[in-house]
Amino acid sequence: MATDFTTARPPLWRNVRFLRILGQAVFVLLLAIVAREAFLNLEYGVREQNLDLSFDFLQQRAGFAIKEGIAYNPNESFYSAFRVGVVNTIRVALVGIVLATILGLVMGVARLSTNWLVRRIAQVYVEIVRNTPVLVQIIFWYVAVILALPVIGGALSLWSLVFVSNRGTAVAWFRLEDGAGAWGLFLLAALAAGALVLRWRTRVDERTGRPAPRVPWAVGAFLVVVAVGFWVSGTPVSADVPEVGRFGYEGGLQVSPEYTALLLGLVIYTGSFITEIVRGSIQAVPKGQKEAAEALGLSPRQQLRLVVLPQALRVAIPPLNSQYLNLLKNSSLALAIGYPEIVSVSNTIINQAARATQMLLLVMGTYLLMSLSISAVMNALNRAVTRKGQR
Amino acid sequence: MTTPAADETMDVPADGEAMIVAEDVEKWFGHFQALKGISTTVRRGEVVVIVGPSGSGKSTFIRTLNRLERHDRGRIVVDGIELIDDIKNIEQIRSEIGMVFQSFNLFPHLTVVDNITLAPRNARRWPKPKAEAKAAQLLERVGIPEQARKYPAQLSGGQQQRVAIARALAMEPKIMLFDEPTSALDPEMIKEVLDVMKELAGSGMTMVVITHEIGFANEVGDRVLFFDGGLLVEEAPPDVFFTEPTSERGKLFLSQIL
Amino acid sequence: MSGRLPGDLERTPLPVVDEPVVQVAPTRPPLTSGEWVRRNLFSSGFNGVLTVASGALVLFFGFQLVRFVFVSADWSVFQANLRVYMVGRFPEDQLWRVWAVVFFLATLVGLSHGVLVPRHLTRRGLVLRAVLAVLTVGALVYLVRSPLVWLLMAVTVALFAVGVVAGRRLGRRLLRSLLVAWLLAFPVVVLLLSVGDVSADQWGGLMLNVIVAVAVIALSFPLGILLALGRRSSLPAVSWFCVGFIELIRGVPLLTLLIFGRFVLILLMPPGLTFAQLVRAIFMFTLFSSAYVAEIVRGGLQGVPEGQYEAAKALGLSTTRTMALVAMPQALRSTIPPMIGHFISVFKDTSLLAALSFSELLFTARRSSQAFEFVGHQAEALLPAAFLFWVIAFSMSRWSQRVEVRLGVGER
């Protein structure tokens, strides 16, 4: 028995779909009202200060010097000055990321060592560094260490290759001569050769079942091509060993004490978090995996390389991404010690030209761009390691 | 497990009025059509058993009945109320339908009693004593009154599913939907849940049950709906379907499960 | 059961045991010191070398550090400025307010500790605590010259101890009142410290860091939950806005947000309306923190199985009720560890206010070493500040680990 039902349209105020659209419309409307109010207030406030909201001021003459960075003089524009800041941020962030990762790897492995003393040392390092604010650490390195180091005459040195004093750090570096371009090509060829040899030896290993040392052969091939190229291009590179002169360093790669302190603080601080990530990701690999690998007859090194580390890597990449972004953002604390990175330089620009709104938009936009870039690389890495597996 | 009190047995009217009417119900997930026009009527007091291979749309269909999924075409009418985009309709319909899930879905942070009384107290505004009395009664009915203060994690699978049934019954629904209620249970616990369901059927509850338990279907089922590939392929009483299905696909399905 | 199996398992099957069989691990005699050293420090040639090398390093640096702390360092910069480190330029005659707050908090923390943290006295824990206690008392005796302050500190410790004992005695019944007390604590403290002959401008030192941290945590917690719910909303407009907001905040340094608060925020307000610098800083800091809280809560909500929402919907619970009664309780439990970790970060980040010249602990420490008579003693000025930050952060992190155990996180 069929009862007659009329398909009535629900009244608008009870209609589920209508209500959703209405809700969103109200929300957007509220947002728009608030935004408009804020913008109008901003315009008014800016006009009261006899300023504007345009970015034209960036072309004006900067009029202030910047202690370190790419070539710049005070006659250039504010925009140029800003660019110097950006480069300085990248300089400290990239190097910091690399060094912090290395430190984190070493200490992370130490945290899992069978040696009790090594384990405890790593643990103490993590517990102390992790729980102290990063700004405190940076200021500490700057004020209590770097500036307190001996003057240039009595600079500390590490095998005469690295010098540290309160004038900064100088590291033995290389100098490019003629033929460096040609040698660069040889370097690329050497990389290719190394990769080819690596693949060849892997193939041999798989085919014959006899252990074929891959890495030593690949490295050897690489070095051979490099050496040949060196000889052919006629010594394209010479060593640039710093020397301690009367007023400063001569030669070598020099960085300011501010840079040194900032780098030290950032690397040691972020390194402690990366240590925990390394430890956590290795421990996250189920114990059964290692046991299965062992039961299959793999050596401890092979277990690590073929079974544990690849799985640990998958777990580690997202938190590593977070830490790299944190390092980037923490570089802004250079404001407190006068290293001229983005925030520091922008602060000076605001003091000179007073357009805080525009500068802050510029600064935040730049950080967002840099954050997105780092995340993009890490996401690609993430895809690369998860493509081969599941999850 | 006790037999239901007299006042809980529902009168089954002789003409069996239609509780659920589905007309040409269709549903898409993106480009995939999960339901290709299902039409059926479930009368009051009927126990309808739905069978079919996985992915045939059985789960999707019963989930459209209480708006856990929204149907894209066709009409669904529950107890005279049409299921449309009207909040009031949807709420009314949901209050008349109770659902039991394959994975129980008990609230782990609440005790058994709190699980059962949560909805009556919050959606129906029952005072606590009334709700707890009802809960005690229902726990008695499903046979586990002593588990009242325990947490779900402390119960076996069979006990958890019985709590889930009690929880659904606390809202005094007119229709009960079961989505493979025993599929996640260890074999020795299936019987206790089926017994509760049989008692429920015996008391006159309108039930739509997705299951593979042929014994249950034969005992209390009034009708079997065989789903395959989003279509209602065959409809027959259980003793007919499970011995001599008329459709080819029905025969194939039976040969796979028997 | 005699402990022996029936001889013929075919005829007499093993009885089904209801209780889980308790496995007792085979006991080993504890290692002698010699064995322990050999196993943990010298298990291989390589390890032996490592032990010797790192041991030498530890001894060397440890010696230098000890010599610095006890011999060559001149701690007068800290001793002379102790009050400024702790409370900034707070007027001396109003310090009783600060002590009142300290007593109140000590009791409250003691009670919370007693109720929430299980008694866990291991020998190692006892030793660690004894060492820390001796160090602290020694440091305090050396640094603080006023007997009145010693007395007040002793009262504080006593109140804490009493609180712990009372909390242990009264147990979980106290939870509701404790929650109310904590919620009221903040406004009460703020009132006590700003009404009367004092004003908020005079806050400084460690006190300022703590107040800012508590304010930010209290305000960003509900805001973060709202953001997380908004992000999960089925209304695209709402969820996009929340996602955009969260990603924007997380992509920029906190310092830039604080600078924004200092220079630009006021321009967005109606003309004439102004707020104290501290309020602006707390506002921006709260926005910052809420984005991170939102992400933590979102993670927790993702951990709630979809079936929970379905069951609630099928039972007729409205979306709000489902969230409040079913989803959030489950989500929040799993978010407690990362949430506390975030709060610890908030506390550490209050040091950033130093970069904006607020006279909190770090700024004070740095400035005191710039005074004429203390030039050259920057390390002695900074280390106590660093130590104060560290002690609080470390204690919070240890405390959170114990609370996790008590609340049974990760069990259900």
Side-chain angles (χ1 to χ4, degrees):
Chain A
M1 97 183 185
T3 325
D4 285 324
F5 306 117
T6 46
T7 309
R9 262 268 163 104
L12 226 49
W13 57 274
R14 284 197 328 236
N15 186 329
V16 168
R17 298 172 85 174
F18 174 74
L19 285 174
R20 283 168 54 101
I21 299 179
L22 183 66
Q24 293 181 74
V26 167
F27 180 75
V28 171
L29 192 66
L30 279 174
L31 271 183
I33 292 177
V34 169
R36 185 169 171 279
E37 273 309 302
F39 186 68
L40 286 177
N41 288 332
L42 182 65
E43 272 194 327
Y44 179 78
V46 157
R47 246 178 307 130
E48 285 288 297
Q49 294 175 347
N50 287 322
L51 295 171
D52 53 49
L53 281 177
S54 81
F55 284 85
D56 297 335
F57 74 98
L58 284 172
Q59 306 303 326
Q60 291 173 16
R61 180 179 172 277
F64 63 93
I66 298 181
K67 265 190 290 185
E68 62 181 292
I70 57 179
Y72 161 85
N73 71 73
N75 284 320
E76 297 187 37
S77 67
F78 284 124
Y79 180 69
S80 290
F82 183 76
R83 250 201 345 223
V84 177
V86 173
V87 172
N88 279 339
T89 295
I90 296 178
R91 270 176 68 207
V92 75
L94 279 181
V95 177
I97 286 176
V98 170
L99 291 180
T101 310
I102 295 176
L103 178 64
L105 269 172
V106 168
M107 293 308 259
V109 170
R111 279 289 262 131
L112 296 168
S113 162
T114 47
N115 187 316
W116 179 90
L117 187 59
V118 169
R119 257 203 332 264
R120 289 287 168 244
I121 292 178
Q123 188 184 11
V124 166
Y125 157 68
V126 168
E127 289 298 338
I128 290 185
V129 169
R130 207 163 56 150
N131 289 307
T132 314
V134 60
L135 183 56
V136 171
Q137 295 185 41
I138 292 174
I139 290 182
F140 178 78
W141 287 114
Y142 185 60
V143 148
V145 179
I146 300 298
L147 290 186
L149 282 176
V151 288
I152 194 72
L156 304 173
S157 83
L158 200 65
W159 304 309
S160 292
L161 286 177
V162 177
F163 288 91
V164 184
S165 76
N166 71 351
R167 295 287 236 114
T169 316
V171 177
W173 207 238
F174 49 82
R175 197 168 27 217
L176 297 174
E177 319 272 0
D178 301 321
W183 191 57
L185 290 171
F186 268 99
L187 273 175
L188 287 171
L191 276 171
L196 281 170
V197 169
L198 196 73
R199 247 210 351 207
W200 171 55
R201 296 303 293 175
T202 315
R203 210 78 64 75
V204 166
D205 187 291
E206 286 167 10
R207 217 172 354 108
T208 64
R210 265 181 294 123
R214 325 177 309 159
V215 176
W217 282 61
V219 171
F222 178 80
L223 289 175
V224 161
V225 177
V226 163
V228 164
F230 207 78
W231 178 69
V232 164
S233 331
T235 57
V237 158
S238 61
D240 190 5
V241 180
E243 277 172 13
V244 176
R246 198 130 55 99
F247 297 112
Y249 299 115
E250 279 156 31
L253 180 71
Q254 298 174 22
V255 287
S256 66
E258 288 82 16
Y259 182 91
T260 314
L262 185 64
L263 192 66
L264 262 176
L266 288 175
V267 166
I268 292 181
Y269 183 74
T270 315
S272 73
F273 290 92
I274 296 184
T275 305
E276 288 300 281
I277 291 175
V278 168
R279 177 179 77 98
S281 62
I282 291 184
Q283 284 181 329
V285 178
K287 207 157 81 114
Q289 293 288 309
K290 183 168 172 301
E291 292 175 352
E294 202 171 336
L296 285 169
L298 296 174
S299 75
R301 250 229 312 261
Q302 281 173 322
Q303 289 168 34
L304 204 63
R305 181 164 64 84
L306 297 169
V307 174
V308 177
L309 281 184
Q311 297 189 53
L313 199 60
R314 270 178 217 149
V315 176
I317 290 185
L320 271 181
N321 186 21
S322 282
Q323 286 310 315
Y324 293 162
L325 292 179
N326 281 344
L327 193 147
L328 172 69
K329 290 185 276 179
N330 283 333
S331 68
S332 63
L333 298 176
L335 178 63
I337 61 171
Y339 173 72
E341 44 70 62
I342 296 180
V343 174
S344 216
V345 168
S346 304
N347 199 36
T348 315
I349 296 180
I350 292 178
N351 284 335
Q352 303 279 57
R355 277 126 170 125
T357 317
Q358 292 94 309
M359 281 315 296
L360 274 164
L361 273 171
L362 195 56
V363 167
M364 295 206 228
T366 312
Y367 271 107
L368 277 173
L369 211 66
M370 292 191 287
S371 295
L372 282 172
S373 313
I374 295 181
S375 291
V377 169
M378 295 304 281
N379 279 334
L381 211 64
N382 205 14
R383 274 198 303 275
V385 295
T386 45
R387 204 175 358 128
K388 296 182 202 157
Q390 354 66 280
R391 297 187 175 275
Chain B
M1 203 169 58
T2 56
T3 47
D7 54 73
E8 284 178 27
T9 312
M10 297 200 289
D11 297 316
V12 182
D15 56 4
E17 91 190 53
M19 289 301 290
I20 302 177
V21 177
E23 287 176 16
D24 290 321
V25 173
E26 297 182 23
K27 166 109 192 121
W28 276 268
F29 288 109
H31 293 299
F32 170 68
Q33 188 171 13
L35 298 174
K36 296 177 182 162
I38 311 290
S39 297
T40 188
T41 307
V42 178
R43 301 185 184 283
R44 188 194 290 271
E46 254 198 301
V47 174
V48 172
V49 175
I50 303 183
V51 299
S54 64
S56 54
K58 343 186 268 288
S59 215
T60 313
F61 176 64
I62 72 165
R63 286 154 64 92
T64 56
L65 297 179
N66 67 352
R67 250 310 153 94
L68 282 183
E69 304 283 354
R70 184 181 176 279
H71 63 285
D72 294 317
R73 274 207 209 133
R75 254 170 51 146
I76 298 179
V77 183
V78 175
D79 196 20
I81 310 166
E82 183 167 359
L83 188 57
I84 47 176
D85 284 333
D86 184 341
I87 302 183
K88 187 151 148 275
N89 284 20
I90 295 175
E91 281 177 7
Q92 258 185 303
I93 289 178
R94 282 210 183 126
S95 71
E96 298 202 5
I97 299 186
M99 187 154 181
V100 176
F101 300 84
Q102 181 176 356
S103 51
F104 329 142
N105 289 338
L106 290 180
F107 304 133
H109 59 295
L110 300 174
T111 58
V112 162
V113 165
D114 289 335
N115 258 277
I116 299 177
T117 59
L118 182 74
R121 287 177 64 186
N122 284 283
R124 290 250 171 94
R125 303 228 134 275
W126 284 15
K128 188 163 159 179
K130 179 178 178 196
E132 295 204 338
K134 179 82 180 175
Q137 192 189 47
L138 286 169
L139 283 175
E140 194 65 53
R141 185 171 176 186
V142 301
I144 39 174
E146 72 283 357
Q147 308 289 353
R149 300 278 161 206
K150 294 241 181 96
Y151 284 93
Q154 297 167 293
L155 303 179
S156 73
Q159 292 171 325
Q160 290 187 47
Q161 191 63 298
R162 288 192 271 163
V163 171
I165 297 177
R167 181 177 68 171
L169 289 174
M171 293 297 277
E172 298 175 337
K174 294 193 188 149
I175 304 168
M176 284 284 277
L177 304 176
F178 292 81
D179 189 351
E180 301 205 36
T182 56
S183 297
L185 295 175
D186 290 335
E188 63 269 16
M189 292 190 269
I190 294 182
K191 179 178 182 301
E192 67 197 56
V193 173
L194 287 181
D195 285 342
V196 169
M197 289 166 65
K198 286 183 202 166
E199 184 272 314
L200 203 56
S203 71
M205 174 69 78
T206 313
M207 293 163 61
V208 180
V209 183
I210 302 177
T211 186
H212 299 296
E213 297 293 325
I214 300 183
F216 171 82
N218 273 322
E219 263 191 70
V220 287
D222 295 313
R223 227 181 344 140
V224 169
L225 302 182
F226 171 60
F227 273 58
D228 195 355
L231 288 166
L232 175 52
V233 174
E234 193 174 334
E235 202 171 326
D239 47 350
V240 171
F241 179 77
F242 288 117
T243 49
E244 277 297 324
T246 45
S247 63
E248 276 308 305
R249 292 201 268 183
K251 290 192 178 121
L252 182 64
F253 175 69
L254 266 194
S255 69
Q256 286 167 341
I257 63 167
L258 284 179
Chain C
M1 283 276 282
S2 64
R4 276 183 296 142
L5 296 176
D8 184 0
L9 280 174
E10 300 258 35
R11 297 271 191 76
T12 50
L14 288 173
V16 175
V17 183
D18 273 329
E19 310 307 313
V21 177
V22 175
Q23 302 272 12
V24 180
T27 48
R28 270 188 327 212
L31 300 173
T32 67
S33 352
E35 288 171 355
W36 187 90
V37 166
R38 219 170 308 136
R39 182 175 300 209
N40 283 301
L41 296 176
F42 293 100
S43 60
S44 74
F46 180 61
N47 259 338
V49 170
L50 263 184
T51 306
V52 168
S54 34
L57 264 174
V58 167
L59 285 173
F60 175 68
F61 282 111
F63 179 67
Q64 299 283 22
L65 184 68
V66 169
R67 197 174 61 148
F68 174 75
V69 168
F70 289 106
V71 178
S72 51
D74 178 6
W75 298 105
S76 55
V77 62
F78 179 58
Q79 283 169 298
N81 288 307
L82 185 58
R83 192 160 52 84
V84 191
Y85 270 63
M86 291 301 179
V87 294
R89 282 170 298 145
F90 210 75
E92 203 165 343
D93 56 336
Q94 301 289 327
L95 278 181
W96 59 268
R97 296 170 184 261
V98 178
W99 282 110
V101 168
V102 169
F103 292 157
F104 172 61
L105 288 177
T107 325
L108 204 54
V109 170
L111 280 172
S112 309
H113 184 100
V115 169
L116 289 172
V117 178
R119 169 170 273 140
H120 190 67
L121 288 175
T122 62
R123 203 174 57 159
R124 218 175 86 198
L126 218 53
V127 166
L128 190 66
R129 258 182 265 196
V131 166
L132 272 176
V134 165
L135 277 178
T136 321
V137 169
L140 287 172
V141 164
Y142 175 64
L143 293 167
V144 177
R145 288 294 155 86
S146 147
L148 176 63
V149 177
W150 287 350
L151 180 65
L152 291 168
M153 285 197 288
V155 171
T156 312
V157 172
L159 281 172
F160 176 76
V162 166
V164 171
V165 168
R168 290 244 163 86
R169 188 71 49 87
L170 293 168
R172 305 206 98 171
R173 281 171 284 156
L174 219 50
L175 263 181
R176 193 145 288 194
S177 353
L178 263 184
L179 195 62
V180 172
W182 274 112
L183 284 174
L184 286 179
F186 184 64
V188 164
V189 166
V190 168
L191 280 174
L192 193 60
L193 292 175
S194 58
V195 172
D197 283 328
V198 290
S199 83
D201 302 329
Q202 294 166 310
W203 293 348
L206 181 59
M207 185 177 81
L208 184 59
N209 292 80
V210 171
I211 292 180
V212 170
V214 171
V216 169
I217 291 172
L219 292 170
S220 63
F221 188 67
L223 188 59
I225 292 181
L226 276 176
L227 272 174
L229 292 175
R231 185 171 178 162
R232 282 175 61 100
S233 165
S234 54
L235 306 177
V238 176
S239 73
W240 282 11
F241 171 74
C242 291
V243 169
F245 180 80
I246 293 174
E247 292 303 318
L248 180 72
I249 301 256
R250 277 170 21 120
V252 297
L254 174 58
L255 190 57
T256 54
L257 291 172
L258 292 176
I259 295 179
F260 181 89
R262 162 157 290 202
F263 289 120
V264 181
L265 187 63
I266 212 64
L267 295 173
L268 298 176
M269 305 269 143
L273 188 61
T274 184
F275 293 101
Q277 287 288 354
L278 185 62
V279 173
R280 296 185 223 175
I282 292 181
F283 179 74
M284 296 308 296
F285 207 152
T286 304
L287 287 182
F288 176 79
S289 168
S290 61
Y292 288 82
V293 170
E295 284 301 276
I296 294 174
V297 172
R298 179 172 85 111
L301 282 172
Q302 273 178 339
V304 176
E306 187 63 30
Q308 295 288 303
Y309 295 102
E310 291 190 344
K313 224 162 44 165
L315 283 170
L317 286 169
S318 68
T319 331
T320 4
R321 292 253 162 76
T322 310
M323 264 308 156
L325 298 168
V326 175
M328 284 305 256
Q330 295 183 55
L332 285 179
R333 177 169 269 134
S334 70
T335 61
I336 289 178
M339 195 74 82
I340 297 191
H342 171 69
F343 292 160
I344 296 177
S345 293
V346 167
F347 172 69
K348 288 190 300 174
D349 286 340
T350 58
S351 57
L352 259 71
L353 293 174
L356 264 72
S357 303
F358 285 96
S359 9
E360 50 72 66
L361 179 59
L362 178 60
F363 183 78
T364 309
R366 202 172 176 191
R367 212 172 42 168
S368 32
S369 73
Q370 288 165 352
F372 182 70
E373 63 263 40
F374 296 122
V375 165
H377 293 284
Q378 297 95 327
E380 291 94 323
L382 280 176
L383 279 173
F387 180 71
L388 281 168
F389 275 116
W390 181 84
V391 140
I392 295 180
F394 182 71
S395 313
M396 276 172 75
S397 122
R398 272 282 183 263
W399 194 79
S400 98
Q401 285 168 9
R402 310 249 300 271
V403 168
E404 273 177 63
V405 171
R406 177 66 166 230
L407 286 180
V409 174
E411 272 176 11
R412 296 214 201 99

